[in-house]
Amino acid sequence: MKKFFSVADVDNLKGIVSEALTLKADPHAHESLGKHKMLGLVFLNPSLRTRLSTQKAGMNLGMNVMVMNMDKDGWALETRDGVIMNGTTVEHIREAAAVMGEYCDILGLRSFPTLKDKEADYSEDLFNKFIKYCAVPVVSLESATRHPLQSLTDLITISEYKKTEKPKVVLAWAPHVKALPQAVPNSFAEWMSRAQAEGLVDFTIAQPAGYELSEEFTEGAQITTNLDEALQGADFVYVKNWSSYKEYGAVYPVQENWLMDNEKLKLTNDAKVMHCLPVRRDLELSSEILDGPNSLVIKEASNRVWAAQVVLKRMLEELRDS
Amino acid sequence: MKKFFSVADVDNLKGIVSEALTLKADPHAHESLGKHKMLGLVFLNPSLRTRLSTQKAGMNLGMNVMVMNMDKDGWALETRDGVIMNGTTVEHIREAAAVMGEYCDILGLRSFPTLKDKEADYSEDLFNKFIKYCAVPVVSLESATRHPLQSLTDLITISEYKKTEKPKVVLAWAPHVKALPQAVPNSFAEWMSRAQAEGLVDFTIAQPAGYELSEEFTEGAQITTNLDEALQGADFVYVKNWSSYKEYGAVYPVQENWLMDNEKLKLTNDAKVMHCLPVRRDLELSSEILDGPNSLVIKEASNRVWAAQVVLKRMLEELRDS
Amino acid sequence: MKKFFSVADVDNLKGIVSEALTLKADPHAHESLGKHKMLGLVFLNPSLRTRLSTQKAGMNLGMNVMVMNMDKDGWALETRDGVIMNGTTVEHIREAAAVMGEYCDILGLRSFPTLKDKEADYSEDLFNKFIKYCAVPVVSLESATRHPLQSLTDLITISEYKKTEKPKVVLAWAPHVKALPQAVPNSFAEWMSRAQAEGLVDFTIAQPAGYELSEEFTEGAQITTNLDEALQGADFVYVKNWSSYKEYGAVYPVQENWLMDNEKLKLTNDAKVMHCLPVRRDLELSSEILDGPNSLVIKEASNRVWAAQVVLKRMLEELRDS
């Protein structure tokens, strides 16, 4: 594996989930694989779970790890080509990425979207340039449009807790006070659509009108604006807010109740409830669910380690064999 | 040891001091104990000594260490229950603590008081919730009301440098320009009161009227508003500013001279002078003392490693044996 | 080696370059040398290359590494002696340095100049005090007037890529929008002047009138205000902006074209182009050069590891043997 940016970078979902669960059962089995290898984690935005779980995954594999808070400890990055750098950006991504690629065997990068310029965000220009210029394998720690380590984690978690061969999985939009990126729901939709195509799940997306995700991520999914209908028979409900894709970054007033609570849970097949965290309690998801037996959110977050570790392991193996 | 939050978490002061000094004599003797164990250090506030000495203690025990500047690199925490999170806090401590507990075998947490709301600060609500929800052993890296690693360090240092069986120890209030927490003096008083009860020291507190500490920390201590009297025959003087407990967070004008200097030192039994650092030179403590032969402040700071290491060692042993 | 602050701390340039290149060929050959040794990297200012390359160098030698962002995660430092600390500085460098020296076997420090007070900056007061009070070997990670790890890197890089025994090296001033320190050019000049004295290079400095460096760094160098003349026959061009030393920190309008581009490159002996990075594209140095075959900037940045590693290795050997 040379990059881990979207579901397209994985050839077989069942295979990678199974390998991740094998690592979970024996986390230190491959600690010689990463010996003398350097993992660099570059953050342009805040991070808790990704920061810690990916560090831990690297250490479990015997790697050395360096964390770089580019926004605070380094220099403001320029990403545009052909501009005279006489403004506030101090370093071009061409140099920054190339230099970090010299110091590290594998790099991780987190970069949020602007939510102002749809075309720029969805071009993934910054990420693509980083991948191009650093010249080493790159793990996405969340980009403008995707959060693949989260989605792989979610698939692992669904595989662990499913009670039927092909569970019904619902991605349910939830309210929020801020305009949030589409990266997590895009990515979840992309992975679940693929999982559906591989016969692993049955996938439905429920969101209010105006909050439809970009079609490139939702192929094959059932899509509805009726949450109650979507929840019928659901085995897993993945709760998440996002801002509008169509009217990019917009937040519309929503009259109906989209807060996921026990009342709504009754409509499901005693569904397990998931969320990528951080979650706004009693705005997106009720405390009664979060503190109750149906919540998987902590186990899900815990699985972030194994998602990161299986990706790093595959990259290390490719480095070793190449 | 499942938590290290106050002196009540230690059964025998002499025993833990002796064990810490054994570690000091051979820092790497237990480096297999922490193998494959993760120490997570979570900071909601700045830290120099605690940050570095606790990292080093973990590494000496063979642990992996991750540092999380929650305030800067992560998300603003909500600690109240039963509120709809539609404000500026992004993540509830229930989830944040639980998730970090999944990634780490032992957690450390630093969190300063508000100095606005006495009841909230002294309830140690944030800390108690962190301990409750993270589900792994927790080391206090300073909480709203206590700084136990500092106090254990101080007891170690007094044990190392005492010239008599039962030295006279004086906690002496000192001037400052800011309103500081009571955590360090509370904690020092709590530990020295206990040490006095165990026959290890004779303990006196001197502070101006209005600066009395909460009685829960000072049981058995001699308490006076007369510094010169307190210093008579002192073997150790522990200098520290704090704001008022009674009129919570207040700073009163003090007429008399409470700056510790060589003139005051003459009243003592050639006392060793201690301070937790950082210290405001010539405001709290004179440069002549800090740069002179009676100062223990650097040796004291150096001992922070062994205090942290003995606590982590006991926690690791309990994890191993459980 | 007890400190690495200027070229004066190295006895033989050829020897240290050769040792660095040996480390580059086998980075992990000395990983037992740093076992149980702690490297502390203290940053008062931002850093990308220095931060990562020095961490990596320490890890290659088997050291444990702790990074301290003093400005953000710690306390504001006082450096003046004899002042009552009743202002905004929280900790004196005497204590901060001494304490960090207790926790670390080797310390690195980065501290930029103010560019306001020439005398204070050029006295290197902060750095000298840090060295004095920490009591352990100190590596400069860039000080007010010098950046010796960069200059050693540059000499290593020139040695690797030179096509003649004694290449012509030109330090060429370049435009910028901000007032930058003289540390990098001072240091480069100091090292190249010494290299010239040892017969390794032929050294010329070109800068507009008013931008002359302090003479203490340029002994023996050819100095000119005519860039085109300087570039004649150059084998290496080291491009860098700096503000005025004479009228300290001033930035003058410059009429002639000092941007290094392909047109100027034609004047040289097909020179390799160097820059310490970060570089302002098309302001200091043209994109066509940076993306073309004559640029060494990424290989130069990559060599930062070996410069740091040879310095740390010599310090560790002295610790071992003392």
Side-chain angles (χ1 to χ4, degrees), chain B residues 278-291:
Chain B
V279 62
R280 299 271 187 147
R281 281 180 165 249
D282 295 311
L283 181 65
E284 294 178 80
L285 195 45
S286 72
S287 287
E288 59 190 11
I289 288 185
L290 282 164
D291 300 329

Side-chain angles (χ1 to χ4, degrees), chain B residues 97-255:
Chain B
V99 166
M100 291 192 278
E102 292 288 325
Y103 301 148
C104 298
D105 298 285
I106 298 174
L107 283 166
L109 175 66
R110 161 162 291 197
S111 171
F112 287 171
T114 63
L115 286 186
K116 308 270 183 213
D117 181 339
K118 185 199 282 197
E119 204 182 342
D121 286 348
Y122 273 69
S123 75
E124 292 282 9
D125 179 55
L126 186 151
F127 227 91
N128 288 329
K129 282 182 174 150
F130 189 84
I131 290 173
K132 178 174 174 187
Y133 295 117
C134 77
V136 297
V138 173
V139 184
S140 167
L141 307 175
E142 186 169 345
S143 71
T145 67
R146 287 170 175 92
H147 194 350
L149 284 176
Q150 181 64 52
S151 306
L152 171 53
T153 298
D154 298 332
L155 185 62
I156 294 168
T157 309
I158 288 169
S159 304
E160 270 187 306
Y161 290 93
K162 70 180 181 186
K163 287 177 291 190
T164 59
E165 254 325 273
K166 196 176 164 184
K168 178 176 179 182
V169 176
V170 177
L171 169 60
W173 184 91
H176 207 281
V177 286
K178 281 181 61 183
L180 295 194
Q182 295 101 34
V184 168
N186 279 347
S187 210
F188 187 76
E190 181 176 64
W191 284 69
M192 287 303 131
S193 296
R194 169 82 175 276
Q196 181 171 263
E198 295 192 15
L200 304 175
V201 302
D202 186 77
F203 183 46
T204 300
I205 304 172
Q207 86 280 305
Y211 284 101
E212 292 79 9
L213 295 169
S214 166
E215 290 179 10
E216 63 171 313
F217 300 99
T218 61
E219 199 188 325
Q222 304 282 342
I223 302 177
T224 173
T225 57
N226 186 327
L227 178 58
D228 288 2
E229 201 175 276
L231 294 175
Q232 303 290 336
D235 298 296
F236 294 89
V237 182
Y238 196 88
V239 180
K240 183 77 187 85
N241 170 268
W242 61 89
S243 62
S244 175
Y245 169 71
K246 215 181 290 181
E247 193 188 333
Y248 193 57
V251 173
Y252 310 111
V254 172
Q255 299 307 327

Side-chain angles (χ1 to χ4, degrees), chain C residues 11-46:
Chain C
D11 54 1
N12 177 289
L13 293 186
K14 233 177 169 167
I16 198 166
V17 167
S18 151
E19 192 175 340
L21 290 172
T22 305
L23 290 172
K24 182 173 181 171
D26 189 2
H28 301 285
H30 302 271
E31 68 184 335
S32 63
L33 188 61
K35 199 185 174 192
H36 292 166
K37 296 296 179 193
M38 184 64 80
L39 173 62
L41 302 180
V42 184
F43 293 94
L44 303 183
N45 303 96

Side-chain angles (χ1 to χ4, degrees), chain A residues 177 259 280-285 287, chain B residues 78 80-89:
Chain A
V177 287
L259 165 68
R280 298 272 186 147
R281 281 180 166 248
D282 295 311
L283 181 64
E284 294 178 81
L285 196 45
S287 287
Chain B
E78 179 59 65
R80 296 167 299 166
D81 287 318
V83 296
I84 297 174
M85 286 176 61
N86 55 8
T88 55
T89 56

Side-chain angles (χ1 to χ4, degrees), chain A residues 12-285:
Chain A
N12 177 287
L13 293 186
K14 233 177 170 168
I16 198 166
V17 167
S18 152
E19 192 175 340
L21 290 172
T22 305
L23 291 171
K24 182 172 181 172
D26 190 1
H28 301 285
H30 302 271
E31 68 184 336
S32 63
L33 188 62
K35 199 184 174 193
H36 292 166
K37 296 296 178 191
M38 184 64 80
L39 173 63
L41 303 179
V42 183
F43 292 93
L44 302 183
N45 302 96
S47 169
L48 168 60
R49 274 151 287 277
T50 303
R51 181 186 296 271
L52 297 182
S53 62
T54 314
Q55 275 186 76
K56 178 165 180 167
M59 290 172 175
N60 281 349
L61 291 163
M63 301 185 82
N64 284 321
V65 185
M66 300 193 292
V67 176
M68 180 76 211
N69 295 310
M70 195 69 196
D71 51 336
K72 297 190 206 75
D73 305 338
W75 310 104
L77 283 186
E78 179 59 64
T79 58
R80 295 166 299 165
D81 287 318
V83 297
I84 298 173
M85 286 175 60
N86 56 7
T88 54
T89 56
V90 175
E91 178 147 34
H92 201 281
I93 193 168
R94 286 176 180 245
E95 276 76 51
V99 166
M100 291 192 277
E102 293 288 325
Y103 300 147
C104 298
D105 299 284
I106 298 175
L107 283 166
L109 176 66
R110 162 162 290 195
S111 171
F112 288 171
T114 63
L115 285 186
K116 310 266 184 218
D117 182 338
K118 186 200 283 199
E119 205 181 344
D121 286 348
Y122 273 68
S123 75
E124 292 281 8
D125 179 56
L126 185 151
F127 227 91
N128 288 329
K129 282 180 174 152
F130 189 84
I131 290 174
K132 178 174 175 186
Y133 294 117
C134 77
V136 298
V138 174
V139 185
S140 167
L141 307 174
E142 186 169 347
S143 72
T145 67
R146 287 172 176 90
H147 194 349
L149 284 176
Q150 181 63 51
S151 306
L152 172 53
T153 299
D154 298 333
L155 185 62
I156 294 168
T157 308
I158 289 169
S159 304
E160 269 187 305
Y161 290 94
K162 70 181 180 185
K163 287 177 292 189
T164 59
E165 255 323 274
K166 196 176 163 184
K168 178 175 178 184
V169 176
V170 177
L171 169 59
W173 184 91
H176 207 282
V177 287
K178 281 181 60 185
L180 295 194
Q182 296 99 35
V184 168
N186 279 347
S187 210
F188 187 77
E190 180 175 67
W191 283 69
M192 287 302 131
S193 295
R194 169 82 175 277
Q196 181 170 262
E198 295 192 15
L200 303 176
V201 301
D202 185 80
F203 182 47
T204 299
I205 304 172
Q207 86 281 304
Y211 283 101
E212 292 78 10
L213 295 169
S214 167
E215 289 179 11
E216 62 171 314
F217 299 100
T218 62
E219 199 188 325
Q222 303 283 342
I223 302 176
T224 173
T225 58
N226 186 327
L227 178 58
D228 288 2
E229 201 175 277
L231 294 175
Q232 303 290 335
D235 298 297
F236 294 89
V237 183
Y238 196 88
V239 180
K240 182 77 187 83
N241 170 267
W242 61 89
S243 62
S244 175
Y245 169 72
K246 217 181 288 180
E247 194 188 333
Y248 193 57
V251 172
Y252 310 111
V254 172
Q255 299 306 328
E256 312 88 58
N257 179 23
W258 283 78
L259 165 68
M260 192 69 202
D261 58 14
N262 276 352
E263 207 54 44
K264 295 235 180 274
L265 203 55
K266 283 182 195 155
L267 302 171
T268 70
N269 182 29
D270 194 24
K272 295 295 185 188
V273 179
M274 303 174 71
H275 189 288
C276 62
L277 306 181
V279 61
R280 298 272 186 147
R281 281 180 166 248
D282 295 311
L283 181 64
E284 294 178 81
L285 196 45

Side-chain angles (χ1 to χ4, degrees), chain B residues 28 31 45-53 55-56 59-60 69 72 110 112 177 277-283 287 290-291 297-299 301-302 304-305, chain C residues 35-38 64-70 72-75 81-92 94-96 98-100 102-105:
Chain B
H28 302 284
E31 69 185 334
N45 302 98
S47 169
L48 168 59
R49 274 151 287 276
T50 302
R51 180 186 296 271
L52 298 181
S53 63
Q55 275 187 75
K56 179 166 181 167
M59 289 172 177
N60 281 349
N69 294 309
K72 297 190 207 76
R110 161 162 291 197
F112 287 171
V177 286
L277 304 181
V279 62
R280 299 271 187 147
R281 281 180 165 249
D282 295 311
L283 181 65
S287 287
L290 282 164
D291 300 329
V297 300
I298 303 305
K299 282 161 177 149
S302 181
R304 292 290 307 272
V305 177
Chain C
K35 199 185 174 192
H36 292 166
K37 296 296 179 193
M38 184 64 80
N64 285 321
V65 185
M66 299 193 293
V67 175
M68 180 77 211
N69 294 311
M70 195 68 195
K72 297 189 206 78
D73 306 338
W75 310 104
D81 287 318
V83 296
I84 297 172
M85 285 176 60
N86 56 8
T88 55
T89 55
V90 175
E91 177 146 34
H92 201 282
R94 286 176 180 246
E95 277 75 51
V99 166
M100 291 192 277
E102 292 288 325
Y103 301 148
C104 299
D105 298 284

Side-chain angles (χ1 to χ4, degrees), chain C residues 211-280:
Chain C
Y211 284 101
E212 292 78 10
L213 295 169
S214 167
E215 289 179 11
E216 63 172 312
F217 300 99
T218 62
E219 199 188 325
Q222 305 283 342
I223 302 177
T224 173
T225 57
N226 186 326
L227 178 59
D228 288 1
E229 201 174 278
L231 294 176
Q232 302 290 335
D235 297 297
F236 294 89
V237 182
Y238 196 88
V239 180
K240 183 76 187 85
N241 169 268
W242 61 88
S243 61
S244 174
Y245 169 72
K246 216 181 288 180
E247 193 189 332
Y248 193 58
V251 172
Y252 309 111
V254 172
Q255 300 306 328
E256 314 87 56
N257 179 24
W258 284 77
L259 165 69
M260 192 69 202
D261 56 16
N262 276 352
E263 208 52 45
K264 296 235 180 273
L265 203 56
K266 284 183 193 154
L267 303 171
T268 70
N269 181 28
D270 192 25
K272 295 294 183 188
V273 179
M274 302 174 71
H275 189 286
C276 62
L277 304 182
V279 62
R280 298 271 187 148

